[in-house]
Structure formats: structure tokens, C-alpha cells
Amino acid sequence: MSKSLVIVESPAKAKTIEKFLGKDFKVVSSNGHISDLPSSELGINVEDNFKPKYIVSKEKKEIVKKLKSEVKNVETVWLASDEDREGEAIAWHLKEALGPKHNYSRVRFNQITKTAILDSFSDPKEIDLDLVKAYRARRFLDKVIGFELSPLLWKKIARGLSAG
């Protein structure tokens, strides 16, 4: 049993990173975002302070189920998604989906080298909520504008266009 579970965005990164970290670490992939606003509705309650309704898509339910199973047997969950606002949101959604009872650490690196990986694990951080808020603001704008304007584009210009 591994003492630590590392969750990265990309399956391609997982094997390389696992080699760098050694036998006490198991590295798995979330395959990108696990949660998003629903595609069939706005998913944002504008009357309730823009409260979002995040859902796990059908395609990601099996991944989340597998990750929940994996975290049961480890001491620490390392969230190692990319260091941009998208990656920070992925880390935040993972933490939300997997539950608060686990010990989480956030690591960031901008290259897949042994030195960069080991350095990031020696100095873990918290999830940067400012980057999560930036992601949410961008996603909300895309969704509100796209959800409201896209049907108008379909009527006036061409079906299938997106204003988001």
C-alpha cells in the first residue's frame, strides 16, 4: 500500500512522476476536470449570489469512483494538477469531490523533471483560492453570456454557434 496518492491531470504524466517519487507514492490521473456546470441549463443561481451548481459528468463518474476508492488507503493526497487557474480549479474540485476527511497538499511544477518534482513535494502549499475564484469568474461569464446569447445566434446567424 502506498502512503501517498498523487493526482495529476494527465495520464501521460502519471507514470513519469511515479518513477521520480518512488514506492511510497501512487500517481493517478483525473483526466482533467471532474466537475463543471451542467450543459443543459445555466447552472448558476443569479438570485442567490451566483451560486453554482457543479456536477460530475457521466464520463467522469467512474474516475471519481476510482479516486474515492484510492484515497481510502493513503495518508496524504497530493493534488498536482497544472499551476494555472484551470489546474487550481481541478485541485479544488477534486478536494470537494473526495471529501474533507483526507489530508491534502497542493504541489505545483512547470516541468516534468526529477528536480522540479522533488522540489515541489518538499514545499507543498494550499489551494490558491484566488486562482479558483478567477477560474469561476471566467467560467461564469462564459456560461451566462453563452447560455443567453447562443440561442439568439442560432436564430439569427447559424445553428451550433456558441457565444461563450
Side-chain angles (χ1 to χ4, degrees), residues 68-131:
K68 283 183 176 184
S69 174
E70 295 281 355
V71 299
K72 288 179 184 177
N73 303 315
V74 297
E75 294 172 13
T76 304
V77 178
W78 299 85
L79 302 170
S81 49
D82 293 349
E83 60 181 343
D84 57 7
R85 72 174 178 251
E86 294 277 330
E88 213 65 26
I90 290 169
W92 181 70
H93 281 244
L94 285 165
K95 186 175 178 180
E96 293 287 311
L98 299 176
K101 63 183 175 188
H102 306 290
N103 180 26
Y104 294 95
S105 289
R106 175 74 169 108
V107 291
R108 296 172 188 86
F109 40 84
N110 57 15
Q111 54 185 321
I112 310 296
T113 64
K114 188 171 186 173
T115 301
I117 301 300
L118 296 179
D119 285 350
S120 69
F121 277 77
S122 69
D123 188 26
K125 307 287 187 210
E126 296 292 321
I127 293 174
D128 184 338
L129 294 178
D130 287 337
L131 282 177

Side-chain angles (χ1 to χ4, degrees), residues 136-148 162-164:
R136 289 175 56 156
R138 173 62 191 261
R139 187 69 187 100
F140 287 12
L141 281 172
D142 283 350
K143 185 70 174 191
V144 169
I145 292 169
F147 201 79
E148 297 296 326
S162 173

